[in-house]
Amino acid sequence: MSGRILVVDDEKSLLIALRGLLSREGYQVETASSGEEALRRIETGSFHLVITDLAMEGIDGMQVLERARVVDPDLAVVMITAHGSEKTAVQAMKLGARDYIPKPFDNDELRVIVRRVMEGVLLRRDHRRLLEQVSGHYGFERIVGVSPVMRRVFETIDRIADTDVTVLIRGESGTGKELVANALHFRSPRRARPFVKMNCAALSRELVESELFGHERGAFTGAIARREGKFEAADGGTLLLDECGDMPLETQAKLLRALQEKEFERVGGNQAIRVDVRVLAATNQDLEAAVRAGRFREDLYYRLKVVDLVIPPLSERREDIPLLVDHVLKDAAVRFRRDLKPLTADALRACVAHDWPGNVRELRSAVEQALLLAPGPEITPADLFGNGSAPGDMPIAPAGLPFREAKERVVEAFERDFLLQALRRHSGNITKAAEEVGMYRQNFQQKMRELGLSAEDAAR
Ligand SMILES: Nc1ncnc2c1ncn2[C@@H]1O[C@H](COP(=O)(O)OP(=O)(O)OP(=O)(O)O)[C@@H](O)[C@H]1O
Ligand SMILES: [Mg+2]
């Protein structure tokens, strides 16, 4: 066994015992006899694991945990808790502790826990390195589909791959619009240049315009410095105007001009800026209806839909479902480091029959949840649709698992759900979500990585 461990306890005899036990296992062990000393060592040393007593004079185990999560999100923390303080132990797990060891403990139990946590730490590091390499390589995810409509989508993508045409990508929420936009950019000659995404919804007109075109210093209250907009940031590359149907009318006029003349001014500025940007637009709105209602400019509508790519809802292309299930299942098994579990024939039938109002995104999260929580060797309809638990419900421990494994899964399901909910409340804005739940942004992001979550997954 290898790895560096810091043991923290204000009881000297326990420190000595733990140091002996863990050194014999092959770990490098250092000790700290107070929370204060622990913090100093965490700041300066590079440990893989901190085992800390919960109740200590002064800085206690919880504070050590909190600090450790900030200094190094990869650093695992295990709590030693006195008999009767299980509640606090659960609290600690919610704050990111990997496990807890109830006192008095027996040596075998301790060895097992430490070994398992340490393996997890080392695995996560390797895994992340691998993921970073892979995503750097391909830049976009595979789009899966066999239905005639999806084949047509692929053909269109191929046909326009090397052009600069503006594309309007339409479809209900979760149908894969962003994925298609990624494919269009990464297959275009602009692939090595920036790909900038801009969400046009849920912002005030002033903000949308300053995001798009940038602003000059003093353009409005709060504009304390000149700022470059997304159009400039995307120069030479591609700009995706996501949720373009929600753009304020006045902004639509400015956008149209920018598209036609390929130049614009920053907000509060009068110097024309020229850029070379390919524009993609996406929306889940019925733009024709918006045009009729006077909420969307007709001229902009025609300017955007030079190529009109419509992705139908999943319920209109059920032949894609088995392939998608297979795809997201394999992907989830890799991301969550779980053994692949097949769906029973019934479960697959239920998937094909289901209406999926949230489309592929909903299918993906149902399959991921099922893989994480299914107690048996196969995924059953009950695992997918069964207990009727809605997002935000406490996950239920699957029956028939050993305590440790059940707990691990429930904690992981809880964490996924908790983070997703927080992200959804803030439209995928990590900074805001982290702030709301009292986590540091870096820790929040780290946790997302561990759980295989992306901000796009949670954008709605
Ligand atoms: N054909 C597909 N093949 C594989 N994965 C898909 C496919 N379609 C969608 N997905 C997955 O489903 C999820 C949602 O896709 P995406 O974000 O592209 O949807 P969207 O149409 O942009 O949704 P929204 O309108 O809510 O922004 C993502 O995890 C994406 O990878
Ligand atoms: Mg999207």
Side-chain angles (χ1 to χ4, degrees):
M1 290 285 113
S2 67
R4 291 162 57 82
I5 303 180
L6 177 67
V7 183
V8 190
D9 203 308
D10 50 8
E11 220 178 295
K12 278 262 157 48
S13 58
L14 206 116
L15 282 186
I16 294 166
L18 280 175
R19 185 210 285 273
L21 178 78
L22 295 168
S23 315
R24 277 196 298 282
E25 290 288 294
Y27 301 109
Q28 280 173 271
V29 184
E30 292 184 31
T31 58
S33 53
S34 70
E36 286 78 2
E37 191 188 343
L39 295 193
R40 274 198 304 278
R41 284 175 167 270
I42 289 172
E43 303 272 357
T44 51
S46 70
F47 298 100
H48 296 107
L49 169 64
V50 175
I51 302 176
T52 176
D53 193 10
L54 181 62
M56 291 183 292
E57 290 282 335
I59 292 185
D60 66 6
M62 281 297 201
Q63 286 166 288
V64 171
L65 167 66
E66 254 168 319
R67 192 68 205 144
R69 303 294 294 159
V70 177
V71 173
D72 178 3
D74 270 338
L75 179 55
V77 178
V78 167
M79 288 282 171
I80 306 175
T81 56
H83 178 70
S85 53
E86 279 76 16
K87 252 208 180 118
T88 330
V90 170
Q91 181 65 21
M93 305 259 314
K94 283 187 188 168
L95 287 175
R98 288 290 158 78
D99 212 331
Y100 65 91
I101 306 171
K103 238 185 333 194
F105 50 84
D106 75 59
N107 292 354
D108 282 336
E109 187 186 14
L110 184 96
R111 266 191 218 110
V112 171
I113 293 177
V114 169
R115 177 174 307 189
R116 191 174 44 74
V117 170
M118 195 63 97
E119 276 170 2
V121 170
L122 300 175
L123 212 79
R124 268 174 227 262
R125 289 194 179 191
D126 289 352
H127 181 68
R128 185 160 51 258
R129 265 184 227 128
L130 208 72
L131 269 188
E132 278 162 7
Q133 282 168 6
V134 170
S135 63
H137 230 77
Y138 295 106
F140 70 96
E141 217 190 308
R142 200 156 68 89
I143 312 175
V144 167
V146 287
S147 57
V149 274
M150 285 310 285
R151 281 177 202 268
R152 238 170 289 138
V153 168
F154 298 146
E155 275 164 27
T156 310
I157 294 175
D158 279 346
R159 198 154 32 80
I160 59 178
D162 56 357
T163 71
D164 269 349
V165 292
T166 309
V167 184
L168 179 60
I169 309 165
R170 303 205 260 180
E172 286 179 7
S173 174
T175 46
K177 296 185 293 298
E178 187 161 342
L179 218 54
V180 166
N182 288 345
L184 283 168
H185 171 73
F186 285 104
R187 291 188 192 186
S188 79
R190 294 171 180 264
R191 72 179 71 87
R193 307 304 309 269
F195 182 30
V196 178
K197 300 177 186 180
M198 149 104 192
N199 187 332
C200 306
L203 294 168
S204 70
R205 176 192 153 201
E206 202 170 56
L207 272 175
V208 176
E209 292 186 6
S210 111
E211 281 268 301
L212 268 176
F213 306 115
H215 61 242
E216 296 294 340
R217 178 189 160 88
F220 46 83
T221 342
I224 46 173
R226 165 191 281 180
R227 185 170 156 218
E228 187 180 82
K230 304 268 185 190
F231 258 104
E232 279 171 89
D235 197 12
T238 307
L239 173 62
L240 170 63
L241 301 172
D242 208 356
E243 322 256 0
C244 68
D246 298 295
M247 195 182 297
L249 263 175
E250 298 91 329
T251 315
Q252 294 175 23
K254 288 199 182 177
L255 174 64
L256 181 67
R257 205 198 122 216
L259 291 176
Q260 280 170 341
E261 291 163 27
K262 294 189 187 307
E263 65 175 42
F264 58 89
E265 284 111 42
R266 295 201 189 98
V267 176
N270 48 25
Q271 185 202 342
I273 297 170
R274 291 197 72 83
V275 287
D276 165 28
V277 171
R278 191 239 187 128
V279 171
L280 306 174
T283 184
N284 54 17
Q285 299 228 3
D286 179 349
L287 279 192
E288 285 81 3
V291 168
R292 281 195 301 277
R295 276 183 292 110
F296 202 84
R297 291 180 65 111
E298 190 171 16
D299 44 10
L300 179 61
Y301 165 70
Y302 285 111
R303 181 64 190 72
L304 290 178
K305 70 164 223 173
V306 179
V307 171
D308 195 11
L309 252 178
V310 179
I311 313 177
L314 200 50
S315 56
E316 289 173 21
R317 46 181 169 110
R318 296 185 189 273
E319 27 336 4
D320 289 342
I321 293 176
L323 206 68
L324 278 166
V325 167
D326 186 62
H327 174 74
V328 298
L329 194 60
K330 283 183 181 146
D331 181 62
V334 172
R335 284 198 295 161
F336 305 151
R337 299 177 305 280
R338 287 288 146 90
D339 290 337
L340 201 59
K341 278 186 189 182
L343 270 71
T344 64
D346 275 353
L348 193 59
R349 267 195 294 277
C351 281
V352 174
H354 190 72
D355 269 338
W356 305 112
N359 295 296
V360 186
R361 178 178 296 117
E362 186 192 355
L363 178 138
R364 167 166 239 159
S365 59
V367 170
E368 286 175 351
Q369 282 285 347
L371 179 71
L372 287 174
L373 292 176
E378 290 180 312
I379 293 172
T380 65
D383 298 327
L384 285 159
F385 307 104
N387 58 23
S389 77
D393 283 0
M394 240 345 236
I396 298 164
L401 284 178
F403 170 70
R404 290 237 166 260
E405 201 173 324
K407 180 177 76 181
E408 211 170 86
R409 290 198 193 189
V410 169
V411 168
E412 192 167 325
F414 160 81
E415 290 182 341
R416 283 177 58 72
D417 198 52
F418 187 83
L419 262 57
L420 262 176
Q421 296 303 321
L423 280 164
R424 287 196 179 139
R425 283 193 292 279
H426 297 281
S427 310
N429 184 318
I430 299 174
T431 309
K432 287 190 184 147
E435 195 177 282
E436 185 204 295
V437 301
M439 282 171 79
Y440 286 94
R441 186 194 151 89
Q442 295 92 311
N443 295 355
F444 196 97
Q445 251 175 330
Q446 169 64 22
K447 199 84 221 163
M448 283 174 66
R449 271 198 293 272
E450 287 174 12
L451 297 164
L453 287 172
S454 76
E456 287 85 62
D457 279 342
R460 323 196 117 239

